[in-house]
Coordinates of all heavy atoms in Angstrom, one line a residue:
S2 N 272.4 122.7 33.1 CA 272.6 124.1 33.0 C 271.2 124.8 32.6 O 270.4 124.3 31.8 CB 273.6 124.5 31.9 OG 274.9 124.0 32.3
K3 N 271.0 126.0 33.2 CA 269.7 126.7 33.0 C 270.0 127.9 32.2 O 271.0 128.7 32.4 CB 269.1 127.1 34.3 CG 267.7 127.7 34.2 CD 267.2 128.1 35.6 CE 266.7 126.8 36.3 NZ 266.0 127.2 37.6
I4 N 269.1 128.2 31.2 CA 269.2 129.4 30.3 C 268.0 130.2 30.4 O 266.9 129.6 30.4 CB 269.6 129.0 28.9 CG1 269.7 130.2 28.0 CG2 268.5 128.0 28.3 CD1 270.2 129.9 26.6
L5 N 268.1 131.5 30.5 CA 267.0 132.4 30.4 C 266.9 132.8 28.9 O 267.9 133.3 28.3 CB 267.1 133.6 31.2 CG 266.9 133.5 32.7 CD1 266.9 134.9 33.4 CD2 265.6 132.8 33.1
V6 N 265.7 132.7 28.3 CA 265.5 133.1 26.9 C 264.3 134.1 26.9 O 263.2 133.8 27.3 CB 265.2 131.9 26.0 CG1 265.2 132.4 24.6 CG2 266.2 130.8 26.2
Y7 N 264.6 135.3 26.4 CA 263.6 136.4 26.4 C 262.9 136.4 25.1 O 263.5 136.2 24.0 CB 264.3 137.7 26.6 CG 264.9 137.9 28.0 CD1 266.3 137.6 28.2 CD2 264.1 138.3 29.1 CE1 266.8 137.8 29.5 CE2 264.7 138.4 30.4 CZ 266.0 138.2 30.5 OH 266.6 138.3 31.8
G8 N 261.6 136.8 25.1 CA 260.8 137.1 23.9 C 261.2 138.4 23.4 O 261.8 139.3 24.1
N69 N 260.1 142.2 30.2 CA 261.1 141.2 30.3 C 261.9 141.4 31.6 O 262.3 140.4 32.3 CB 262.1 141.2 29.1 CG 261.5 140.5 27.9 OD1 260.5 139.8 28.0 ND2 262.1 140.8 26.8
R72 N 259.8 140.0 34.4 CA 259.9 138.6 34.5 C 261.2 138.1 35.1 O 261.3 137.1 35.7 CB 259.7 138.0 33.1 CG 258.3 138.1 32.5 CD 257.2 137.4 33.3 NE 257.6 136.0 33.6 CZ 257.6 135.0 32.8 NH1 257.0 135.2 31.6 NH2 258.0 133.8 33.1
T73 N 262.3 138.8 34.8 CA 263.6 138.4 35.3 C 263.6 138.4 36.8 O 264.3 137.6 37.4 CB 264.7 139.4 34.8 OG1 264.6 139.5 33.4 CG2 266.1 138.9 35.2
S74 N 262.8 139.2 37.5 CA 262.8 139.3 38.9 C 262.3 138.0 39.6 O 262.4 137.8 40.8 CB 261.9 140.5 39.4 OG 260.5 140.3 39.0
E75 N 261.7 137.1 38.8 CA 261.2 135.8 39.3 C 262.3 134.8 39.5 O 262.1 133.7 40.0 CB 260.2 135.2 38.3 CG 259.0 136.1 38.1 CD 258.1 135.6 36.9 OE1 258.3 134.5 36.5 OE2 257.2 136.3 36.5
Y76 N 263.5 135.1 39.0 CA 264.6 134.1 38.9 C 265.8 134.5 39.7 O 266.1 135.7 39.8 CB 265.0 133.9 37.5 CG 263.9 133.3 36.6 CD1 263.0 134.1 36.0 CD2 263.8 131.9 36.5 CE1 262.0 133.6 35.2 CE2 262.7 131.4 35.8 CZ 261.9 132.2 35.1 OH 260.9 131.6 34.4
E77 N 266.5 133.5 40.3 CA 267.8 133.7 40.9 C 268.8 133.6 39.8 O 269.0 132.6 39.3 CB 268.0 132.7 42.0 CG 267.3 132.9 43.3 CD 267.9 134.1 44.1 OE1 269.0 134.4 43.8 OE2 267.1 134.6 44.9
L78 N 269.5 134.7 39.5 CA 270.4 134.7 38.4 C 271.7 133.9 38.7 O 272.4 133.5 37.8 CB 270.8 136.2 38.0 CG 269.7 137.0 37.5 CD1 270.2 138.4 37.1 CD2 269.0 136.3 36.3
D80 N 271.5 130.9 39.4 CA 271.2 129.6 38.9 C 271.3 129.6 37.3 O 271.2 128.5 36.7 CB 269.7 129.2 39.2 CG 269.5 129.1 40.7 OD1 270.5 128.8 41.4 OD2 268.3 129.2 41.1
I81 N 271.6 130.8 36.8 CA 271.6 130.9 35.3 C 273.1 130.8 34.8 O 273.9 131.4 35.3 CB 271.0 132.2 34.8 CG1 269.6 132.3 35.4 CG2 271.0 132.3 33.3 CD1 268.6 131.2 35.1
T82 N 273.3 130.0 33.8 CA 274.6 129.9 33.1 C 274.6 130.5 31.7 O 275.7 130.9 31.3 CB 275.1 128.5 33.1 OG1 274.1 127.7 32.3 CG2 275.2 127.8 34.4
C83 N 273.4 130.6 31.1 CA 273.4 131.1 29.7 C 272.2 132.1 29.5 O 271.3 132.0 30.3 CB 273.2 129.9 28.7 SG 274.5 128.7 28.8
F84 N 272.3 132.9 28.5 CA 271.3 133.7 28.0 C 271.1 133.7 26.5 O 272.1 133.4 25.8 CB 271.6 135.2 28.4 CG 271.5 135.6 29.8 CD1 272.7 135.7 30.6 CD2 270.3 135.8 30.4 CE1 272.6 136.0 31.9 CE2 270.2 136.1 31.8 CZ 271.4 136.2 32.5
S85 N 269.9 133.9 26.1 CA 269.6 134.1 24.7 C 268.3 134.8 24.6 O 267.7 135.1 25.6 CB 269.5 132.8 23.9 OG 269.5 133.0 22.5
S86 N 267.9 135.2 23.4 CA 266.6 135.9 23.2 C 266.2 135.9 21.7 O 267.0 135.6 20.8 CB 266.8 137.3 23.7 OG 267.6 138.0 22.8
H87 N 264.9 136.2 21.6 CA 264.4 136.4 20.2 C 264.6 137.9 20.0 O 264.1 138.8 20.7 CB 262.9 136.0 20.1 CG 262.4 136.2 18.8 ND1 261.8 137.3 18.3 CD2 262.3 135.3 17.8 CE1 261.4 137.1 17.1 NE2 261.6 135.9 16.7
G90 N 264.9 141.1 22.5 CA 265.1 140.6 23.8 C 266.5 140.7 24.3 O 266.8 140.6 25.5
N93 N 267.5 142.9 27.2 CA 267.3 142.3 28.6 C 268.4 141.4 28.9 O 268.8 141.3 30.1 CB 266.0 141.6 28.7 CG 264.8 142.6 28.7 OD1 264.2 142.9 27.7 ND2 264.5 143.1 29.9
V94 N 269.0 140.8 27.9 CA 270.2 140.0 28.2 C 271.4 140.9 28.7 O 272.1 140.5 29.6 CB 270.7 139.2 26.9 CG1 272.0 138.6 27.1 CG2 269.6 138.1 26.5
A97 N 270.3 141.8 32.4 CA 270.4 140.7 33.3 C 271.8 140.1 33.6 O 272.1 139.7 34.7 CB 269.5 139.5 32.8
S98 N 272.6 140.2 32.5 CA 274.0 139.7 32.7 C 274.9 140.8 33.2 O 276.1 140.5 33.4 CB 274.5 139.3 31.3 OG 274.6 140.3 30.4
F219 N 278.9 134.5 32.0 CA 277.8 133.8 31.3 C 278.1 133.4 29.9 O 279.0 134.0 29.3 CB 276.5 134.7 31.3 CG 276.0 135.1 32.7 CD1 276.3 136.3 33.2 CD2 275.2 134.2 33.4 CE1 275.8 136.7 34.4 CE2 274.8 134.6 34.7 CZ 275.1 135.9 35.2
K220 N 277.4 132.5 29.3 CA 277.5 132.2 27.9 C 276.3 132.7 27.2 O 275.2 132.9 27.8 CB 277.6 130.6 27.7 CG 278.8 130.0 28.3 CD 278.9 128.5 27.9 CE 280.1 127.9 28.5 NZ 281.4 128.5 28.2
Y221 N 276.4 133.1 25.9 CA 275.4 133.7 25.1 C 275.2 132.9 23.8 O 276.2 132.7 23.1 CB 275.7 135.2 24.9 CG 276.1 135.9 26.1 CD1 277.4 136.1 26.5 CD2 275.1 136.5 26.9 CE1 277.7 136.8 27.7 CE2 275.4 137.2 28.1 CZ 276.7 137.3 28.5 OH 277.0 138.0 29.6
I222 N 274.0 132.5 23.6 CA 273.7 131.8 22.3 C 273.0 132.7 21.3 O 271.8 132.9 21.4 CB 272.9 130.5 22.7 CG1 273.6 129.6 23.7 CG2 272.6 129.8 21.4 CD1 272.9 128.4 24.1
Y223 N 273.8 133.1 20.4 CA 273.4 133.9 19.2 C 274.2 133.5 18.0 O 275.0 132.6 18.1 CB 273.6 135.4 19.5 CG 272.7 136.0 20.6 CD1 273.1 136.3 21.9 CD2 271.3 136.3 20.3 CE1 272.2 136.8 22.8 CE2 270.5 136.8 21.2 CZ 270.9 137.1 22.5 OH 270.1 137.6 23.4
L249 N 270.0 125.7 21.0 CA 269.4 125.5 22.3 C 269.1 124.0 22.5 O 269.4 123.4 23.6 CB 268.2 126.3 22.5 CG 268.3 127.8 22.5 CD1 267.0 128.5 22.7 CD2 269.3 128.3 23.6
L254 N 269.9 122.3 27.3 CA 269.8 123.2 28.4 C 268.4 123.2 29.0 O 267.4 122.9 28.3 CB 270.1 124.6 28.0 CG 271.5 124.9 27.4 CD1 271.6 126.1 26.6 CD2 272.5 124.9 28.6
L255 N 268.2 123.5 30.3 CA 266.9 123.7 30.9 C 266.5 125.1 30.6 O 267.1 126.1 31.0 CB 267.0 123.5 32.4 CG 265.7 123.7 33.2 CD1 264.7 122.7 32.7 CD2 266.0 123.5 34.7
I256 N 265.5 125.2 29.7 CA 265.1 126.5 29.2 C 264.0 127.2 30.0 O 262.9 126.6 30.3 CB 264.6 126.4 27.7 CG1 265.7 125.8 26.8 CG2 264.1 127.7 27.2 CD1 265.3 125.4 25.5
E257 N 264.3 128.4 30.5 CA 263.2 129.2 31.1 C 262.8 130.3 30.1 O 263.5 131.2 29.8 CB 263.8 129.9 32.4 CG 264.3 129.0 33.5 CD 263.2 128.3 34.2 OE1 262.0 128.6 33.9 OE2 263.4 127.4 35.1
D258 N 261.6 130.1 29.6 CA 261.0 130.9 28.6 C 260.3 132.1 29.2 O 259.3 131.9 29.8 CB 260.1 130.1 27.7 CG 259.4 130.8 26.6 OD1 259.7 132.0 26.4 OD2 258.6 130.2 25.9
L259 N 260.8 133.3 29.0 CA 260.2 134.5 29.6 C 259.2 135.2 28.6 O 258.7 136.3 29.0 CB 261.2 135.5 30.1 CG 261.8 135.2 31.4 CD1 262.7 133.9 31.4 CD2 262.6 136.3 32.0
S260 N 258.9 134.6 27.5 CA 258.0 135.3 26.5 C 256.5 135.1 27.1 O 256.2 134.1 27.8 CB 258.0 134.6 25.2 OG 257.7 133.3 25.2
I265 N 258.6 130.4 22.7 CA 259.9 129.8 22.5 C 259.9 128.3 22.9 O 260.4 127.5 22.1 CB 260.9 130.6 23.4 CG1 261.0 132.0 22.9 CG2 262.3 129.9 23.3 CD1 261.8 132.9 23.8

Side-chain angles (χ1 to χ4, degrees):
S2 295
K3 185 181 288 188
I4 180 170
L5 283 189
V6 187
Y7 294 97
N69 284 344
R72 290 295 314 278
T73 307
S74 66
E75 300 171 10
Y76 296 89
E77 282 290 338
L78 294 182
D80 297 335
I81 306 301
T82 59
C83 302
F84 288 102
S85 189
S86 70
H87 186 273
N93 287 95
V94 170
S98 66
F219 299 100
K220 295 187 183 301
Y221 307 94
I222 300 179
Y223 289 104
L249 294 178
L254 298 161
L255 179 61
I256 299 171
E257 298 288 358
D258 177 5
L259 277 70
S260 63
I265 296 169

